């Protein structure tokens, strides 16, 4: 009885312990995986962007510190860009449901008929019809990412800029088109739908630098990060740029957590809640403006205009309100996609930004381009624009910095809503040069505050030095922020040795984000000379990156951070710094040495590759020389020519087998006579007969053998081998039989006696010379070497 009680007590204790362990495991969050794709396109032939590649490098480094497994590249062409997106989607699909996937794109974005397109650096856009074929339609990939079971998906488009591609023709709506995110998705633009950001100057763009600042702040959820980002960008640009985002994420996602030793917030939760929840009419005008901007809703902007219609800030808010109202109207119109919908839009906005888009769709639907007198208008969930908004919407692209508007600068946000940026993050130093083709520039890493760290449940990314040392100043200064070794004054190397292990194993390779597999393949082709450099051949300014040379907008110091390999890749014949040769760039990936210009059989295939610099096998060839005589295949031809034969350089390889067929039938019955062998290309198998007999019997057999006549006519074929027997005496052999030219009527008799050619030939020694005279090529080859035993010229008998 007592034992049973003890057993029951132990069982109860074990059950309680198991229950506590299960509850603790349930409270601990599951391991979170983080992946990111970061692209920065700046080397456009038209309108190179000064900061796009640098911005992508800054965001990639910040995400690396937050525990993201980042793949990133710069200046991608259309094919490589599509393949990189496809590979990233497959990577996300192969991950579990507790994965956060983020995409950041910096470059040019365009909208057409309600769709957003990201433009590759090699795009050739001359009209609106080129946009769908040359650009990357983002909805195709965002839809696939949204269909993947993820914890959260974030897509950031730093691409709302004034497009430089189409200067004439039908007007195009500027900026990016408003979209609606799917579940567990957040979509953000650097400028509000229908508006464009001003040109960037400096080392980094305002949007990318502000986004990196908010990610590093710590303790902010995804919505709070982008709400503060909008306030910071609007403050930094003096109201010229208003970012936008929309999200439907239910899970809590935090880039960095704040530890217990973090400084206390400068505002109480009550103050923050009051600014975000109180009616705008109950707030002072400056706080009301900040509240409307942070909420970023149509209702919030309308409330501000209604509360302060005469305030100078009301004109700026009306412009924001007009752009948002028109974007929402067009979104509803495009989703309905009917003639009535497009007529309804044109009824409201006859000169709106999307008027040409509506007419294009009406033409495709075979409908009237203008609204008919009567039709069933669709019902919009937004009211029509008032008259004071028309001035802002009757233009293709809306810029809040347009001096025509004369907007007053907005007030700075309250400190308790948006603290000032960290001092060491106000003016970031230019990034280091890239380490190879497609690699992103590497910014100077600013340590993360010691009280901020990635959540403990985040799975550490593989081989991430930055993630493991976000607070370690010793490693940051000596490893992460150590510039890669570069020759100070030596000219760029151009051979395979330039990309050897010493140049490819620098620490910078391990610090830069990994290249997408498609970019690695493209870089390999570039180093082999089979593909041009990014942006090459596209026109003036092609291949120029951030702030570099002609076409760039950045200062000269920033130009060292751009180009294909981190320096402005100015192509030959273009102004600017000299670009390193393709073969001089280290191989991407694991830091392996560069691949030689020719992968298989360099001595055969190298001339077919447009390598920038000749390899060892190319240098061994004489300039302007013919490859066949020096190639291995030409060695076979050279071996067929005996030494000392200077007059046989054009001996074909294939004719000898064909020539052996007519020689062998005659060689059997005429073993003592080698006359056929002297006429044919096959080498003689035995010693030739006496010179006198050979001279006399060299030609008679030719007439009785009509089948071999084609072989006799081929002068090059017959003339090739004979030099082995007649080095210098053909003319003397021809002249002795010169007197018997009177015997020319004798050729008919030889044709009448085909059966006994040997005996007839022995009976008529003088007739061979006459037969040699008519055919010029055969007589000269028939000269025997022993010419001294013959009579001298013009002497019939001696």
């Amino acid at each position: 009885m007592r034992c049973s009680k003890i057993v029951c007590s132990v069982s109860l204790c074990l059950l309680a312990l198991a229950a506590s362990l299960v509850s603790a495991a349930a409270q601990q969050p599951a391991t979170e995986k983080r992946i990111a794709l970061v692209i920065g396109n700046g080397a456009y032939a038209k309108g190179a962007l000064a900061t796009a590649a640098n911005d992508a490098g800054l965001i990639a480094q910040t995400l690396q510190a937050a525990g993201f497994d980042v793949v990133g590249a710069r200046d991608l062409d259309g094919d490589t860009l599509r393949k990189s997106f496809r590979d990233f989607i497959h990577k996300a699909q192969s991950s579990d449901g507790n994965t956060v996937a983020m995409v950041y794109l910096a470059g040019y974005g365009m909208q057409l008929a309600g769709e957003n397109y990201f433009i590759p650096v090699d795009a050739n856009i001359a009209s609106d019809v080129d946009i769908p074929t040359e650009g990357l339609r983002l909805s195709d990939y965002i839809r696939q990412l949204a269909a993947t079971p993820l914890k959260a998906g974030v897509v950031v488009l730093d691409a709302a800029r004034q497009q430089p591609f189409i200067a004439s023709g039908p007007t195009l709506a500027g900026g990016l088109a408003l979209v609606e995110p799917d579940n567990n998705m957040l979509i953000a633009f650097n400028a509000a739908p229908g508006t464009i950001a001003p040109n960037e100057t400096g080392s980094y763009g305002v949007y990318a630098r502000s986004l990196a600042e908010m990610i590093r702040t710590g303790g902010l959820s995804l919505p709070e990060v982008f709400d503060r980002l909008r306030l910071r960008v609007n403050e930094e640009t003096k109201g010229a740029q208003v970012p936008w985002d929309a999200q439907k994420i239910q899970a809590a996602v935090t880039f960095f957590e704040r530890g217990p030793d973090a400084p206390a917030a400068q505002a109480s939760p009550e103050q923050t809640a009051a600014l975000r929840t109180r009616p705008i009419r109950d707030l002072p005008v400056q706080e009301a403006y900040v509240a409307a901007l942070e909420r970023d809703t149509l209702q919030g902007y309308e409330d501000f205009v209604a509360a302060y219609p005469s305030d100078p800030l009301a004109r700026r808010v009306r412009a924001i309100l007009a752009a948002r109202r028109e974007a929402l109207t067009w979104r509803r119109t495009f989703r309905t996609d009917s003639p009535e919908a497009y007529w309804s839009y044109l009824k409201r906005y006859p000169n709106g930004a999307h008027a040409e888009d509506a007419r294009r769709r009406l033409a495709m639907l075979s409908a009237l381009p203008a609204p008919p007198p009567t039709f069933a208008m669709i019902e919009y969930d937004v009211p029509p624009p008032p008259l004071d908004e028309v001035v802002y919407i009757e233009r293709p692209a809306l810029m809040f910095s347009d001096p025509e508007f004369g907007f007053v600068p907005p007030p700075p946000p309250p400190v308790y809503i948006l603290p000032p940026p960290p001092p060491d993050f106000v003016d970031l130093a230019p990034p280091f040069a890239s380490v190879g083709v497609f690699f992103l520039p590497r910014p100077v890493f600013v340590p993360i505050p010691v009280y901020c760290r990635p959540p403990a449940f985040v799975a550490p990314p593989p081989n991430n030095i930055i993630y493991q040392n976000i607070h370690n100043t010793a490693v940051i200064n000596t490893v992460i922020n150590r510039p890669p070794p570069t020759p100070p004054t030596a000219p760029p190397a151009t051979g395979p040795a330039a990309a050897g292990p010493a140049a490819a194993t620098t620490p910078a390779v391990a610090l830069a984000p990994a290249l997408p597999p498609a970019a690695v393949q493209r870089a390999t082709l570039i180093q082999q000379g089979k593909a041009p450099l990014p942006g090459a051949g596209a026109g003036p300014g092609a291949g120029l990156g951030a702030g570099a040379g002609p076409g760039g907008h950045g200062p000269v110091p920033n130009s060292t951070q751009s180009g294909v390999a981190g320096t402005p890749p100015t192509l030959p014949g273009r102004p600017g710094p000299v670009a390193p040769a393709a073969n001089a760039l280290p191989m991407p990936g694991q830091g392996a040495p560069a691949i030689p210009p020719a992968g298989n059989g360099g001595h055969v295939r190298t001339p077919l590759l447009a390598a920038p610099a000749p390899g060892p096998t190319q240098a061994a060839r004489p300039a302007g020389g013919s490859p066949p005589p020096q190639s291995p295949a030409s060695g076979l031809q050279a071996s067929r020519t005996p030494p000392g034969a200077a007059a046989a350089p054009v001996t074909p390889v294939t004719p000898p087998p064909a020539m052996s067929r007519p020689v062998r039938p005659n060689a059997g019955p005429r073993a003592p006579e080698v006359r056929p062998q002297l006429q044919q290309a096959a080498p003689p198998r035995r010693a030739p007969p006496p010179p006198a007999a050979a001279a006399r019997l060299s030609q008679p057999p030719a007439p009785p053998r009509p089948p071999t006549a084609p072989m006799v006519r081929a002068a090059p074929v017959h003339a090739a081998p004979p030099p082995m027997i007649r080095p210098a005496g053909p003319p003397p052999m021809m002249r002795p039989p010169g007197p018997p030219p009177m015997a020319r009527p004798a050729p008919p008799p030889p044709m009448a006696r085909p059966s006994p050619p040997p005996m007839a030939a022995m009976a008529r020694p003088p007739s061979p010379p006459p037969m040699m005279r008519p055919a010029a090529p055969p007589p000269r080859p028939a000269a025997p070497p022993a010419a001294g035993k013959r009579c001298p010229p013009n002497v019939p008998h001696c």
Side-chain angles (χ1 to χ4, degrees):
M1 188 71 178
R2 185 175 181 181
C3 292
S4 61
K5 290 182 178 180
I6 294 175
V7 170
C8 292
S9 302
V10 172
S11 302
L12 292 175
C13 293
L14 292 176
L15 290 175
L17 180 61
S20 61
L21 292 176
V22 169
S23 62
Q27 294 177 359
Q28 183 179 3
T31 302
E32 179 181 294
K33 181 180 179 180
R34 296 181 171 185
I35 59 177
L37 173 66
V38 179
I39 304 295
N41 281 356
Y44 293 95
K46 294 182 179 180
L49 295 176
T51 65
N54 295 352
D55 294 342
L58 178 62
I59 297 301
Q61 185 186 76
T62 305
L63 295 179
Q64 282 181 301
F68 281 80
D69 182 11
V70 182
V71 291
R74 63 177 298 164
D75 300 331
L76 294 184
D77 57 278
D79 183 64
T80 309
L81 183 62
R82 289 178 174 85
K83 290 180 180 178
S84 300
F85 248 109
R86 178 198 62 191
D87 294 340
F88 181 75
I89 295 297
H90 292 169
K91 183 178 181 180
Q93 292 173 347
S94 62
S95 303
D96 55 23
N98 205 37
T99 300
V100 177
M102 183 169 178
V103 177
Y104 174 86
L105 304 177
Y108 280 116
M110 300 180 70
Q111 64 165 313
L112 179 68
E115 295 285 353
N116 292 320
Y117 297 87
F118 186 67
I119 309 302
V121 295
D122 66 337
N124 185 14
I125 299 176
S127 63
D128 56 327
V129 297
D130 298 327
I131 298 176
T133 57
E134 297 288 332
L136 186 78
R137 189 165 68 174
L138 295 173
S139 60
D140 297 338
Y141 301 93
I142 295 177
R143 191 178 301 112
Q144 296 181 46
L145 194 63
T148 305
L150 299 172
K151 181 178 181 179
V154 181
V155 178
V156 180
L157 304 180
D158 191 356
R161 297 179 171 89
Q162 179 65 46
Q163 60 88 15
F165 307 103
I166 303 174
S168 60
T171 57
L172 295 174
L176 299 173
L178 186 144
V179 295
E180 296 179 6
D182 296 307
N183 292 330
N184 296 329
M185 291 292 297
L186 184 148
I187 300 178
F189 298 165
N190 66 318
T195 68
I196 57 177
N199 294 332
E200 300 283 3
T201 58
S203 299
Y204 300 97
V206 176
Y207 185 81
R209 189 178 69 248
S210 301
L211 176 59
E213 175 197 344
M214 298 308 155
I215 292 176
R216 295 160 51 94
T217 300
L220 301 179
S221 63
L222 275 178
E224 291 174 337
V225 166
F226 287 92
D227 288 345
R228 288 197 178 191
L229 170 64
R230 184 164 48 255
L231 296 178
R232 177 69 75 204
V233 171
N234 190 257
E235 176 190 12
E236 293 285 340
T237 61
K238 307 300 181 184
Q241 187 173 348
V242 180
W244 171 88
D245 70 275
Q247 59 92 23
K248 292 182 180 179
I249 294 180
Q250 290 80 24
V253 178
T254 304
F255 289 102
F256 288 95
E257 291 181 343
R258 294 172 69 90
D261 55 342
Q266 299 184 11
S268 63
E270 292 77 11
Q271 285 180 306
T272 305
L275 185 69
R276 295 174 178 171
T277 58
R278 288 178 58 185
I280 289 182
R281 62 177 180 273
D282 296 341
L283 297 173
V285 60
Q286 294 188 355
E287 292 187 5
Y289 174 82
V290 173
L293 197 65
E294 186 188 36
R295 300 174 189 181
D296 195 38
T297 60
L298 193 70
Q299 186 63 46
Y301 293 126
E302 289 179 342
D303 291 345
F304 181 89
V305 172
Y308 304 97
S310 302
D311 191 88
L313 289 174
R315 298 182 62 244
R316 178 180 294 277
V317 175
R318 286 193 182 94
I320 300 174
L321 184 59
R324 185 63 49 84
R325 194 193 308 274
E326 198 269 348
L328 290 170
T329 302
W330 173 249
R331 178 66 182 173
R332 171 66 189 280
T333 301
F334 176 71
R335 293 187 62 181
T336 305
D337 195 31
S338 66
E340 290 76 14
Y342 296 115
W343 289 332
S344 301
Y345 173 85
L346 291 174
K347 198 74 173 179
R348 281 193 174 188
Y349 298 96
N351 299 315
H354 295 279
E356 292 297 333
D357 288 333
R359 296 186 180 97
R360 291 188 191 96
R361 292 299 302 167
L362 287 171
M364 296 179 66
L365 297 174
S366 301
L368 296 174
T374 57
F375 66 94
M377 290 190 62
I378 65 172
E379 295 182 1
Y380 293 104
D381 51 359
V382 293
L387 294 178
D388 52 6
E389 293 183 9
V390 174
V391 64
Y392 305 114
I393 59 178
E394 289 190 345
R395 56 184 65 215
L398 176 60
M399 296 180 60
F400 297 125
S401 59
D402 194 335
E404 181 182 345
F405 300 146
F407 294 145
V408 297
V415 175
Y416 64 87
I417 290 293
L418 185 66
D424 54 358
F425 212 77
V426 173
D427 188 14
L428 293 177
F432 299 111
S434 300
V435 294
V437 178
F438 298 125
F439 276 103
L440 291 171
R442 188 167 57 87
V444 176
F445 183 66
V446 178
I448 304 294
V450 293
Y451 50 82
C452 293
R453 59 186 59 87
F457 52 82
V458 173
N463 303 324
N464 193 326
I465 300 176
I466 296 178
Y467 173 79
Q468 299 168 359
N469 298 277
I470 59 175
H471 304 137
N472 192 336
T473 56
V475 175
I476 292 173
N477 294 331
T478 59
V479 177
I480 298 177
N481 287 343
R482 183 177 63 183
T486 54
T489 57
T494 55
T505 57
T506 58
V509 176
L511 295 172
L515 287 180
V520 174
Q521 297 175 3
R522 181 73 175 180
T524 304
L525 295 178
I526 292 175
Q527 290 191 344
Q528 292 179 349
K530 300 178 181 179
L533 291 172
L544 295 175
H553 304 286
V556 175
N558 191 28
S559 63
T560 57
Q561 277 68 359
S562 54
V564 180
T567 56
T570 309
L571 301 178
R574 297 181 182 174
V578 179
N583 286 349
L585 299 174
M587 277 297 295
Q590 302 300 327
I595 296 177
N600 300 326
H603 59 282
V604 177
R605 299 183 60 183
T606 300
L608 303 179
L609 303 180
T617 46
Q618 290 175 316
R621 294 181 179 174
S626 175
Q630 301 182 16
S631 63
S634 64
L636 179 61
Q637 302 174 10
S639 65
R640 294 175 183 267
T641 303
V650 284
T651 304
V653 179
T654 53
M659 294 165 55
S660 61
R661 290 195 297 268
V663 172
R664 288 176 182 172
N666 300 328
R670 305 176 188 177
E673 306 177 36
V674 278
R675 293 166 301 191
Q677 297 177 1
L678 296 177
Q679 298 177 8
Q680 306 300 333
R685 297 183 181 178
R686 21 190 287 184
R696 297 182 191 124
L697 305 179
S698 58
Q699 293 302 330
R705 287 182 304 170
T708 63
M711 305 302 300
V712 177
R713 286 197 303 266
V717 175
H718 300 330
M724 299 173 60
I725 306 170
R726 38 178 177 75
M733 296 303 299
M734 302 304 188
R735 289 168 187 165
M742 303 180 353
R744 285 182 183 173
M751 297 183 62
R753 37 186 174 77
S755 51
M759 300 180 62
M762 299 275 301
R764 292 177 185 182
S767 55
M771 295 302 297
M772 285 204 39
R773 301 286 299 272
R780 292 189 185 119
K789 299 180 182 181
R790 299 287 300 174
C791 296
N794 301 325
V795 179
H797 301 285
C798 59

